[in-house]
Amino acid sequence: YTPPSRSLSGLPLFFFFFTSATAIFFPSANPACVTDSVQFTNLSFNAASYHWDFGDGNTSTLQSPTHLYASPNTYVVELIAFTANGGSDTTTQSIDVYGATNAMYWVNGTGQTMNFVDGSTYATAWSWDFGDGGNSFQQNPTYTYTAPGVYDVTLIAFGPCNNDTIITQVQVFATGLSENALQNSLQVYPTPAGNQINVLIEIHPPPSNHPSW
């Protein structure tokens, strides 16, 4: 603080000099990917030197360093800004580092209703194509097919670092017996019937279009 001086209007003017540091920084990407270098832009005020801790055991004293994370995780980055007279200020910020997105899923169900369970890594959005014109953007959808058969089901998994696609065949079996199938597989004997009749139902699964392995 300095003594006040007089302005042109005759009112005193006051001048204040701040000697404390204010630590501020911004990462170039958050979330980031393990394949990308993160640039930390330092916008600290009244600082003469700096100390960075990137949360993975690595440090730096550069003003605005660049750092490459080796593995996916959530890291707490710390910046200490030092003044010339020994004062300091500290700020921290979490940064999420993701690995590659790999599309994967499992399927189970009964009859023509199938449950699709996502198993993708580092995915944040999903796009399903069930192979019969139906689709979904849910992570774990349940879908009912209108007819039995073999369908090519496509999952596109979207992630912060990349997108990935997987296509697999899903076998859907009929739910119950159709009237024609029941007529062809139902036998009643003897005919004419006496005091006792026998009922024989033969159930044949629908033909599979799976290739022979």
Side-chain angles (χ1 to χ4, degrees):
Y1 168 73
T2 59
S5 60
R6 294 290 177 177
S7 67
L8 294 178
S9 62
L11 297 177
L13 295 177
F14 295 88
F15 297 93
F16 293 89
F17 297 92
F18 295 95
T19 58
S20 60
T22 301
I24 304 174
F25 73 90
F26 296 97
S28 60
N30 191 9
C33 303
V34 291
T35 56
D36 299 335
S37 295
V38 181
Q39 174 72 52
F40 293 94
T41 300
N42 190 340
L43 299 178
S44 301
F45 293 102
N46 197 38
S49 61
Y50 311 92
H51 181 270
W52 294 85
D53 186 331
F54 300 112
D56 63 350
N58 292 288
T59 61
S60 175
T61 56
L62 297 176
Q63 181 175 353
S64 295
T66 298
H67 186 63
L68 178 65
Y69 287 95
S71 59
N73 208 334
T74 297
Y75 300 93
V76 178
V77 180
E78 180 184 77
L79 167 62
I80 306 176
F82 298 95
T83 63
N85 60 5
S88 67
D89 186 45
T90 302
T91 186
T92 60
Q93 187 175 157
S94 295
I95 181 169
D96 295 317
V97 179
Y98 290 99
T101 297
N102 294 307
M104 182 183 302
Y105 71 86
W106 295 270
V107 60
N108 61 74
T110 302
Q112 292 166 214
T113 299
M114 310 302 291
N115 303 308
F116 295 90
V117 181
D118 172 60
S120 306
T121 59
Y122 302 107
T124 55
W126 303 263
S127 177
W128 297 86
D129 183 334
F130 299 114
D132 66 343
N135 57 71
S136 175
F137 298 102
Q138 296 180 351
Q139 181 178 4
N140 300 299
T142 296
Y143 187 73
T144 300
Y145 288 89
T146 58
V150 178
Y151 298 91
D152 292 326
V153 178
T154 302
L155 168 63
I156 304 176
F158 300 90
C161 301
N162 66 291
N163 305 327
D164 192 39
T165 301
I166 185 173
I167 303 174
T168 60
Q169 288 190 328
V170 174
Q171 174 76 61
V172 178
F173 295 99
T175 301
L177 293 173
S178 66
E179 182 178 352
N180 291 334
L182 188 60
Q183 290 176 352
N184 294 333
S185 62
L186 177 64
Q187 299 180 29
V188 179
Y189 63 93
T191 302
N195 295 329
Q196 178 178 344
I197 63 171
N198 300 296
V199 179
L200 175 64
I201 300 177
E202 296 180 353
I203 300 177
H204 301 282
S208 173
N209 294 326
H210 279 299
S212 300
W213 302 108

